[in-house]
PDB file of all heavy atoms in Angstrom:
ATOM      1  N   ILE A  14       3.703 146.325 -34.685  1.00  0.00           N
ATOM      2  CA  ILE A  14       2.861 147.182 -35.476  1.00  0.00           C
ATOM      3  C   ILE A  14       1.481 147.457 -34.807  1.00  0.00           C
ATOM      4  O   ILE A  14       1.044 148.569 -34.737  1.00  0.00           O
ATOM      5  CB  ILE A  14       2.654 146.583 -36.894  1.00  0.00           C
ATOM      6  CG1 ILE A  14       3.944 146.469 -37.644  1.00  0.00           C
ATOM      7  CG2 ILE A  14       1.590 147.373 -37.695  1.00  0.00           C
ATOM      8  CD1 ILE A  14       3.853 145.741 -38.940  1.00  0.00           C
ATOM      9  N   ARG A  15       0.924 146.418 -34.284  1.00  0.00           N
ATOM     10  CA  ARG A  15      -0.410 146.480 -33.623  1.00  0.00           C
ATOM     11  C   ARG A  15      -0.246 146.431 -32.130  1.00  0.00           C
ATOM     12  O   ARG A  15      -0.926 145.594 -31.456  1.00  0.00           O
ATOM     13  CB  ARG A  15      -1.319 145.411 -34.211  1.00  0.00           C
ATOM     14  CG  ARG A  15      -1.469 145.502 -35.700  1.00  0.00           C
ATOM     15  CD  ARG A  15      -2.551 144.557 -36.263  1.00  0.00           C
ATOM     16  NE  ARG A  15      -3.862 145.084 -35.846  1.00  0.00           N
ATOM     17  CZ  ARG A  15      -4.512 146.163 -36.408  1.00  0.00           C
ATOM     18  NH1 ARG A  15      -3.978 146.756 -37.451  1.00  0.00           N
ATOM     19  NH2 ARG A  15      -5.660 146.560 -36.005  1.00  0.00           N
ATOM     20  N   PHE A  16       0.495 147.328 -31.582  1.00  0.00           N
ATOM     21  CA  PHE A  16       0.878 147.387 -30.212  1.00  0.00           C
ATOM     22  C   PHE A  16      -0.358 147.711 -29.314  1.00  0.00           C
ATOM     23  O   PHE A  16      -1.135 148.582 -29.703  1.00  0.00           O
ATOM     24  CB  PHE A  16       1.923 148.488 -29.980  1.00  0.00           C
ATOM     25  CG  PHE A  16       2.538 148.576 -28.616  1.00  0.00           C
ATOM     26  CD1 PHE A  16       3.601 147.749 -28.230  1.00  0.00           C
ATOM     27  CD2 PHE A  16       2.004 149.533 -27.711  1.00  0.00           C
ATOM     28  CE1 PHE A  16       4.139 147.888 -26.977  1.00  0.00           C
ATOM     29  CE2 PHE A  16       2.556 149.586 -26.428  1.00  0.00           C
ATOM     30  CZ  PHE A  16       3.626 148.779 -26.064  1.00  0.00           C
ATOM     31  N   PRO A  17      -0.584 147.047 -28.188  1.00  0.00           N
ATOM     32  CA  PRO A  17       0.201 145.909 -27.637  1.00  0.00           C
ATOM     33  C   PRO A  17      -0.454 144.578 -27.824  1.00  0.00           C
ATOM     34  O   PRO A  17      -0.675 143.811 -26.841  1.00  0.00           O
ATOM     35  CB  PRO A  17       0.305 146.325 -26.087  1.00  0.00           C
ATOM     36  CG  PRO A  17      -1.037 146.897 -25.907  1.00  0.00           C
ATOM     37  CD  PRO A  17      -1.489 147.566 -27.154  1.00  0.00           C
ATOM     38  N   SER A  18      -0.892 144.211 -28.973  1.00  0.00           N
ATOM     39  CA  SER A  18      -1.556 142.960 -29.235  1.00  0.00           C
ATOM     40  C   SER A  18      -0.561 141.754 -29.024  1.00  0.00           C
ATOM     41  O   SER A  18       0.660 141.995 -28.996  1.00  0.00           O
ATOM     42  CB  SER A  18      -2.129 142.889 -30.669  1.00  0.00           C
ATOM     43  OG  SER A  18      -1.085 142.866 -31.618  1.00  0.00           O
ATOM     44  N   LYS A  19      -1.105 140.601 -28.851  1.00  0.00           N
ATOM     45  CA  LYS A  19      -0.366 139.413 -28.597  1.00  0.00           C
ATOM     46  C   LYS A  19      -0.659 138.324 -29.721  1.00  0.00           C
ATOM     47  O   LYS A  19      -1.835 137.987 -29.827  1.00  0.00           O
ATOM     48  CB  LYS A  19      -0.632 138.777 -27.220  1.00  0.00           C
ATOM     49  CG  LYS A  19      -0.223 139.743 -26.065  1.00  0.00           C
ATOM     50  CD  LYS A  19       1.273 140.120 -26.038  1.00  0.00           C
ATOM     51  CE  LYS A  19       1.608 141.021 -24.967  1.00  0.00           C
ATOM     52  NZ  LYS A  19       3.008 141.508 -25.020  1.00  0.00           N
ATOM     53  N   TRP A  20       0.297 138.040 -30.509  1.00  0.00           N
ATOM     54  CA  TRP A  20       0.122 137.077 -31.616  1.00  0.00           C
ATOM     55  C   TRP A  20      -0.559 135.838 -31.208  1.00  0.00           C
ATOM     56  O   TRP A  20      -1.552 135.435 -31.916  1.00  0.00           O
ATOM     57  CB  TRP A  20       1.488 136.805 -32.205  1.00  0.00           C
ATOM     58  CG  TRP A  20       1.495 135.765 -33.269  1.00  0.00           C
ATOM     59  CD1 TRP A  20       2.024 134.469 -33.173  1.00  0.00           C
ATOM     60  CD2 TRP A  20       0.965 135.885 -34.609  1.00  0.00           C
ATOM     61  NE1 TRP A  20       1.841 133.740 -34.357  1.00  0.00           N
ATOM     62  CE2 TRP A  20       1.260 134.620 -35.257  1.00  0.00           C
ATOM     63  CE3 TRP A  20       0.445 136.905 -35.347  1.00  0.00           C
ATOM     64  CZ2 TRP A  20       0.888 134.417 -36.576  1.00  0.00           C
ATOM     65  CZ3 TRP A  20       0.061 136.715 -36.685  1.00  0.00           C
ATOM     66  CH2 TRP A  20       0.279 135.403 -37.285  1.00  0.00           C
ATOM     67  N   TYR A  21      -0.179 135.210 -30.138  1.00  0.00           N
ATOM     68  CA  TYR A  21      -0.813 133.925 -29.804  1.00  0.00           C
ATOM     69  C   TYR A  21      -2.311 134.119 -29.455  1.00  0.00           C
ATOM     70  O   TYR A  21      -3.128 133.219 -29.799  1.00  0.00           O
ATOM     71  CB  TYR A  21      -0.120 133.353 -28.498  1.00  0.00           C
ATOM     72  CG  TYR A  21      -0.511 134.019 -27.209  1.00  0.00           C
ATOM     73  CD1 TYR A  21      -1.552 133.533 -26.446  1.00  0.00           C
ATOM     74  CD2 TYR A  21       0.251 135.078 -26.715  1.00  0.00           C
ATOM     75  CE1 TYR A  21      -1.910 134.105 -25.215  1.00  0.00           C
ATOM     76  CE2 TYR A  21      -0.083 135.700 -25.563  1.00  0.00           C
ATOM     77  CZ  TYR A  21      -1.132 135.197 -24.782  1.00  0.00           C
ATOM     78  OH  TYR A  21      -1.525 135.779 -23.553  1.00  0.00           O
ATOM     79  N   LYS A  22      -2.667 135.291 -28.897  1.00  0.00           N
ATOM     80  CA  LYS A  22      -4.097 135.454 -28.592  1.00  0.00           C
ATOM     81  C   LYS A  22      -4.974 135.616 -29.826  1.00  0.00           C
ATOM     82  O   LYS A  22      -6.082 135.108 -29.868  1.00  0.00           O
ATOM     83  CB  LYS A  22      -4.249 136.709 -27.693  1.00  0.00           C
ATOM     84  CG  LYS A  22      -5.640 136.900 -27.122  1.00  0.00           C
ATOM     85  CD  LYS A  22      -5.993 135.764 -26.149  1.00  0.00           C
ATOM     86  CE  LYS A  22      -7.349 136.057 -25.519  1.00  0.00           C
ATOM     87  NZ  LYS A  22      -7.712 134.885 -24.664  1.00  0.00           N
ATOM     88  N   LEU A  23      -4.461 136.258 -30.839  1.00  0.00           N
ATOM     89  CA  LEU A  23      -5.187 136.430 -32.078  1.00  0.00           C
ATOM     90  C   LEU A  23      -5.473 135.055 -32.647  1.00  0.00           C
ATOM     91  O   LEU A  23      -6.574 134.760 -33.130  1.00  0.00           O
ATOM     92  CB  LEU A  23      -4.383 137.234 -33.140  1.00  0.00           C
ATOM     93  CG  LEU A  23      -3.774 138.571 -32.609  1.00  0.00           C
ATOM     94  CD1 LEU A  23      -3.037 139.233 -33.779  1.00  0.00           C
ATOM     95  CD2 LEU A  23      -4.912 139.474 -32.086  1.00  0.00           C
ATOM     96  N   ASN A  24      -4.498 134.257 -32.678  1.00  0.00           N
ATOM     97  CA  ASN A  24      -4.689 132.905 -33.189  1.00  0.00           C
ATOM     98  C   ASN A  24      -5.607 131.995 -32.462  1.00  0.00           C
ATOM     99  O   ASN A  24      -6.496 131.303 -33.036  1.00  0.00           O
ATOM    100  CB  ASN A  24      -3.290 132.217 -33.377  1.00  0.00           C
ATOM    101  CG  ASN A  24      -2.446 132.683 -34.519  1.00  0.00           C
ATOM    102  OD1 ASN A  24      -2.606 132.248 -35.648  1.00  0.00           O
ATOM    103  ND2 ASN A  24      -1.607 133.696 -34.224  1.00  0.00           N
ATOM    104  N   GLU A  25      -5.523 132.102 -31.120  1.00  0.00           N
ATOM    105  CA  GLU A  25      -6.482 131.391 -30.216  1.00  0.00           C
ATOM    106  C   GLU A  25      -7.897 131.812 -30.561  1.00  0.00           C
ATOM    107  O   GLU A  25      -8.806 130.955 -30.620  1.00  0.00           O
ATOM    108  CB  GLU A  25      -6.150 131.683 -28.795  1.00  0.00           C
ATOM    109  CG  GLU A  25      -4.952 130.940 -28.259  1.00  0.00           C
ATOM    110  CD  GLU A  25      -4.730 131.206 -26.757  1.00  0.00           C
ATOM    111  OE1 GLU A  25      -5.586 132.043 -26.195  1.00  0.00           O
ATOM    112  OE2 GLU A  25      -3.811 130.636 -26.211  1.00  0.00           O
ATOM    113  N   ASN A  26      -8.135 133.126 -30.719  1.00  0.00           N
ATOM    114  CA  ASN A  26      -9.541 133.588 -30.923  1.00  0.00           C
ATOM    115  C   ASN A  26     -10.063 133.131 -32.278  1.00  0.00           C
ATOM    116  O   ASN A  26     -11.245 132.819 -32.443  1.00  0.00           O
ATOM    117  CB  ASN A  26      -9.575 135.105 -30.869  1.00  0.00           C
ATOM    118  CG  ASN A  26      -9.444 135.637 -29.390  1.00  0.00           C
ATOM    119  OD1 ASN A  26      -9.833 134.882 -28.488  1.00  0.00           O
ATOM    120  ND2 ASN A  26      -9.013 136.794 -29.236  1.00  0.00           N
ATOM    121  N   ILE A  27      -9.224 133.189 -33.336  1.00  0.00           N
ATOM    122  CA  ILE A  27      -9.662 132.737 -34.648  1.00  0.00           C
ATOM    123  C   ILE A  27      -9.993 131.240 -34.632  1.00  0.00           C
ATOM    124  O   ILE A  27     -11.006 130.771 -35.168  1.00  0.00           O
ATOM    125  CB  ILE A  27      -8.605 133.048 -35.740  1.00  0.00           C
ATOM    126  CG1 ILE A  27      -8.513 134.584 -35.891  1.00  0.00           C
ATOM    127  CG2 ILE A  27      -8.921 132.320 -37.022  1.00  0.00           C
ATOM    128  CD1 ILE A  27      -7.417 135.032 -36.824  1.00  0.00           C
ATOM    129  N   GLU A  28      -9.116 130.422 -33.956  1.00  0.00           N
ATOM    130  CA  GLU A  28      -9.378 128.955 -33.919  1.00  0.00           C
ATOM    131  C   GLU A  28     -10.719 128.682 -33.106  1.00  0.00           C
ATOM    132  O   GLU A  28     -11.459 127.827 -33.466  1.00  0.00           O
ATOM    133  CB  GLU A  28      -8.207 128.327 -33.210  1.00  0.00           C
ATOM    134  CG  GLU A  28      -6.900 128.293 -34.024  1.00  0.00           C
ATOM    135  CD  GLU A  28      -5.757 127.694 -33.254  1.00  0.00           C
ATOM    136  OE1 GLU A  28      -5.969 127.289 -32.037  1.00  0.00           O
ATOM    137  OE2 GLU A  28      -4.627 127.824 -33.785  1.00  0.00           O
ATOM    138  N   ARG A  29     -10.939 129.470 -32.068  1.00  0.00           N
ATOM    139  CA  ARG A  29     -12.112 129.286 -31.273  1.00  0.00           C
ATOM    140  C   ARG A  29     -13.350 129.605 -32.049  1.00  0.00           C
ATOM    141  O   ARG A  29     -14.387 128.905 -32.031  1.00  0.00           O
ATOM    142  CB  ARG A  29     -12.045 130.195 -30.053  1.00  0.00           C
ATOM    143  CG  ARG A  29     -13.162 130.134 -29.102  1.00  0.00           C
ATOM    144  CD  ARG A  29     -12.836 130.961 -27.786  1.00  0.00           C
ATOM    145  NE  ARG A  29     -14.027 131.321 -27.083  1.00  0.00           N
ATOM    146  CZ  ARG A  29     -14.181 132.547 -26.589  1.00  0.00           C
ATOM    147  NH1 ARG A  29     -13.298 133.537 -26.896  1.00  0.00           N
ATOM    148  NH2 ARG A  29     -15.328 132.886 -25.961  1.00  0.00           N
ATOM    149  N   ILE A  30     -13.360 130.723 -32.851  1.00  0.00           N
ATOM    150  CA  ILE A  30     -14.491 131.052 -33.689  1.00  0.00           C
ATOM    151  C   ILE A  30     -14.778 130.016 -34.754  1.00  0.00           C
ATOM    152  O   ILE A  30     -15.906 129.593 -34.946  1.00  0.00           O
ATOM    153  CB  ILE A  30     -14.237 132.427 -34.358  1.00  0.00           C
ATOM    154  CG1 ILE A  30     -14.306 133.544 -33.245  1.00  0.00           C
ATOM    155  CG2 ILE A  30     -15.214 132.662 -35.451  1.00  0.00           C
ATOM    156  CD1 ILE A  30     -13.750 134.867 -33.722  1.00  0.00           C
ATOM    157  N   ASN A  31     -13.734 129.432 -35.355  1.00  0.00           N
ATOM    158  CA  ASN A  31     -13.909 128.458 -36.379  1.00  0.00           C
ATOM    159  C   ASN A  31     -14.506 127.174 -35.805  1.00  0.00           C
ATOM    160  O   ASN A  31     -15.219 126.453 -36.493  1.00  0.00           O
ATOM    161  CB  ASN A  31     -12.552 128.181 -37.046  1.00  0.00           C
ATOM    162  CG  ASN A  31     -12.161 129.230 -38.028  1.00  0.00           C
ATOM    163  OD1 ASN A  31     -13.017 129.899 -38.587  1.00  0.00           O
ATOM    164  ND2 ASN A  31     -10.823 129.386 -38.188  1.00  0.00           N
ATOM    165  N   GLU A  32     -14.137 126.830 -34.580  1.00  0.00           N
ATOM    166  CA  GLU A  32     -14.640 125.642 -33.871  1.00  0.00           C
ATOM    167  C   GLU A  32     -16.076 125.781 -33.488  1.00  0.00           C
ATOM    168  O   GLU A  32     -16.852 124.823 -33.562  1.00  0.00           O
ATOM    169  CB  GLU A  32     -13.798 125.273 -32.650  1.00  0.00           C
ATOM    170  CG  GLU A  32     -12.353 124.877 -32.955  1.00  0.00           C
ATOM    171  CD  GLU A  32     -11.534 124.673 -31.658  1.00  0.00           C
ATOM    172  OE1 GLU A  32     -12.091 124.944 -30.596  1.00  0.00           O
ATOM    173  OE2 GLU A  32     -10.353 124.383 -31.747  1.00  0.00           O
ATOM    174  N   LEU A  33     -16.534 126.990 -33.051  1.00  0.00           N
ATOM    175  CA  LEU A  33     -17.840 127.125 -32.489  1.00  0.00           C
ATOM    176  C   LEU A  33     -18.916 127.653 -33.419  1.00  0.00           C
ATOM    177  O   LEU A  33     -20.100 127.515 -33.110  1.00  0.00           O
ATOM    178  CB  LEU A  33     -17.710 128.056 -31.254  1.00  0.00           C
ATOM    179  CG  LEU A  33     -16.816 127.602 -30.096  1.00  0.00           C
ATOM    180  CD1 LEU A  33     -16.753 128.613 -29.039  1.00  0.00           C
ATOM    181  CD2 LEU A  33     -17.334 126.252 -29.558  1.00  0.00           C
ATOM    182  N   LEU A  34     -18.521 128.273 -34.534  1.00  0.00           N
ATOM    183  CA  LEU A  34     -19.521 128.875 -35.393  1.00  0.00           C
ATOM    184  C   LEU A  34     -19.480 128.217 -36.811  1.00  0.00           C
ATOM    185  O   LEU A  34     -18.398 128.020 -37.432  1.00  0.00           O
ATOM    186  CB  LEU A  34     -19.248 130.389 -35.519  1.00  0.00           C
ATOM    187  CG  LEU A  34     -19.510 131.221 -34.172  1.00  0.00           C
ATOM    188  CD1 LEU A  34     -19.054 132.591 -34.403  1.00  0.00           C
ATOM    189  CD2 LEU A  34     -20.947 131.155 -33.774  1.00  0.00           C
ATOM    190  N   GLN A  35     -20.630 128.015 -37.394  1.00  0.00           N
ATOM    191  CA  GLN A  35     -20.734 127.433 -38.719  1.00  0.00           C
ATOM    192  C   GLN A  35     -21.069 128.527 -39.833  1.00  0.00           C
ATOM    193  O   GLN A  35     -20.822 128.316 -40.953  1.00  0.00           O
ATOM    194  CB  GLN A  35     -21.834 126.403 -38.777  1.00  0.00           C
ATOM    195  CG  GLN A  35     -21.639 125.289 -37.796  1.00  0.00           C
ATOM    196  CD  GLN A  35     -20.342 124.476 -37.963  1.00  0.00           C
ATOM    197  OE1 GLN A  35     -20.054 124.198 -39.127  1.00  0.00           O
ATOM    198  NE2 GLN A  35     -19.619 124.207 -36.942  1.00  0.00           N
ATOM    199  N   ASN A  36     -21.559 129.668 -39.387  1.00  0.00           N
ATOM    200  CA  ASN A  36     -22.048 130.669 -40.316  1.00  0.00           C
ATOM    201  C   ASN A  36     -21.036 131.791 -40.560  1.00  0.00           C
ATOM    202  O   ASN A  36     -21.418 132.920 -40.939  1.00  0.00           O
ATOM    203  CB  ASN A  36     -23.355 131.272 -39.811  1.00  0.00           C
ATOM    204  CG  ASN A  36     -23.172 131.976 -38.459  1.00  0.00           C
ATOM    205  OD1 ASN A  36     -22.239 131.659 -37.709  1.00  0.00           O
ATOM    206  ND2 ASN A  36     -24.045 132.929 -38.233  1.00  0.00           N
ATOM    207  N   THR A  37     -19.743 131.490 -40.365  1.00  0.00           N
ATOM    208  CA  THR A  37     -18.758 132.575 -40.265  1.00  0.00           C
ATOM    209  C   THR A  37     -17.747 132.516 -41.437  1.00  0.00           C
ATOM    210  O   THR A  37     -17.271 131.436 -41.786  1.00  0.00           O
ATOM    211  CB  THR A  37     -18.025 132.459 -38.930  1.00  0.00           C
ATOM    212  OG1 THR A  37     -18.956 132.524 -37.848  1.00  0.00           O
ATOM    213  CG2 THR A  37     -17.027 133.650 -38.787  1.00  0.00           C
ATOM    214  N   GLN A  38     -17.443 133.677 -41.878  1.00  0.00           N
ATOM    215  CA  GLN A  38     -16.322 133.876 -42.891  1.00  0.00           C
ATOM    216  C   GLN A  38     -15.286 134.757 -42.222  1.00  0.00           C
ATOM    217  O   GLN A  38     -15.436 135.888 -41.989  1.00  0.00           O
ATOM    218  CB  GLN A  38     -16.850 134.451 -44.151  1.00  0.00           C
ATOM    219  CG  GLN A  38     -15.750 134.701 -45.202  1.00  0.00           C
ATOM    220  CD  GLN A  38     -16.263 135.261 -46.453  1.00  0.00           C
ATOM    221  OE1 GLN A  38     -17.321 134.797 -47.011  1.00  0.00           O
ATOM    222  NE2 GLN A  38     -15.652 136.240 -47.035  1.00  0.00           N
ATOM    223  N   VAL A  39     -14.134 134.130 -41.940  1.00  0.00           N
ATOM    224  CA  VAL A  39     -13.039 134.862 -41.352  1.00  0.00           C
ATOM    225  C   VAL A  39     -12.083 135.343 -42.473  1.00  0.00           C
ATOM    226  O   VAL A  39     -11.708 134.550 -43.317  1.00  0.00           O
ATOM    227  CB  VAL A  39     -12.201 134.068 -40.313  1.00  0.00           C
ATOM    228  CG1 VAL A  39     -10.964 134.756 -39.801  1.00  0.00           C
ATOM    229  CG2 VAL A  39     -13.157 133.644 -39.160  1.00  0.00           C
ATOM    230  N   GLU A  40     -11.783 136.610 -42.514  1.00  0.00           N
ATOM    231  CA  GLU A  40     -10.852 137.182 -43.511  1.00  0.00           C
ATOM    232  C   GLU A  40      -9.717 137.850 -42.829  1.00  0.00           C
ATOM    233  O   GLU A  40      -9.948 138.387 -41.711  1.00  0.00           O
ATOM    234  CB  GLU A  40     -11.617 138.168 -44.467  1.00  0.00           C
ATOM    235  CG  GLU A  40     -12.747 137.510 -45.206  1.00  0.00           C
ATOM    236  CD  GLU A  40     -13.495 138.525 -46.070  1.00  0.00           C
ATOM    237  OE1 GLU A  40     -13.044 139.677 -46.180  1.00  0.00           O
ATOM    238  OE2 GLU A  40     -14.499 138.160 -46.655  1.00  0.00           O
ATOM    239  N   ILE A  41      -8.597 137.943 -43.453  1.00  0.00           N
ATOM    240  CA  ILE A  41      -7.417 138.654 -42.917  1.00  0.00           C
ATOM    241  C   ILE A  41      -7.231 139.905 -43.644  1.00  0.00           C
ATOM    242  O   ILE A  41      -7.072 139.935 -44.880  1.00  0.00           O
ATOM    243  CB  ILE A  41      -6.170 137.739 -42.956  1.00  0.00           C
ATOM    244  CG1 ILE A  41      -6.433 136.388 -42.329  1.00  0.00           C
ATOM    245  CG2 ILE A  41      -4.990 138.457 -42.303  1.00  0.00           C
ATOM    246  CD1 ILE A  41      -6.899 136.400 -40.889  1.00  0.00           C
ATOM    247  N   SER A  42      -7.218 141.067 -42.930  1.00  0.00           N
ATOM    248  CA  SER A  42      -7.033 142.322 -43.561  1.00  0.00           C
ATOM    249  C   SER A  42      -5.622 142.852 -43.203  1.00  0.00           C
ATOM    250  O   SER A  42      -5.303 143.041 -41.955  1.00  0.00           O
ATOM    251  CB  SER A  42      -8.077 143.396 -43.070  1.00  0.00           C
ATOM    252  OG  SER A  42      -9.377 143.017 -43.616  1.00  0.00           O
ATOM    253  N   ILE A  43      -4.860 143.148 -44.153  1.00  0.00           N
ATOM    254  CA  ILE A  43      -3.439 143.538 -43.956  1.00  0.00           C
ATOM    255  C   ILE A  43      -3.255 144.962 -44.467  1.00  0.00           C
ATOM    256  O   ILE A  43      -3.615 145.281 -45.586  1.00  0.00           O
ATOM    257  CB  ILE A  43      -2.478 142.617 -44.667  1.00  0.00           C
ATOM    258  CG1 ILE A  43      -2.646 141.176 -44.184  1.00  0.00           C
ATOM    259  CG2 ILE A  43      -1.026 143.024 -44.449  1.00  0.00           C
ATOM    260  CD1 ILE A  43      -1.960 140.159 -45.074  1.00  0.00           C
TER     261      ILE A  43
END
């Protein structure tokens, strides 16, 4: 659907943001 994104990369980036930032709200838009 979101060509040519890579599923694993999206998850890596979200995990990295959660680890490094305290002032962040991550939401999923579908």
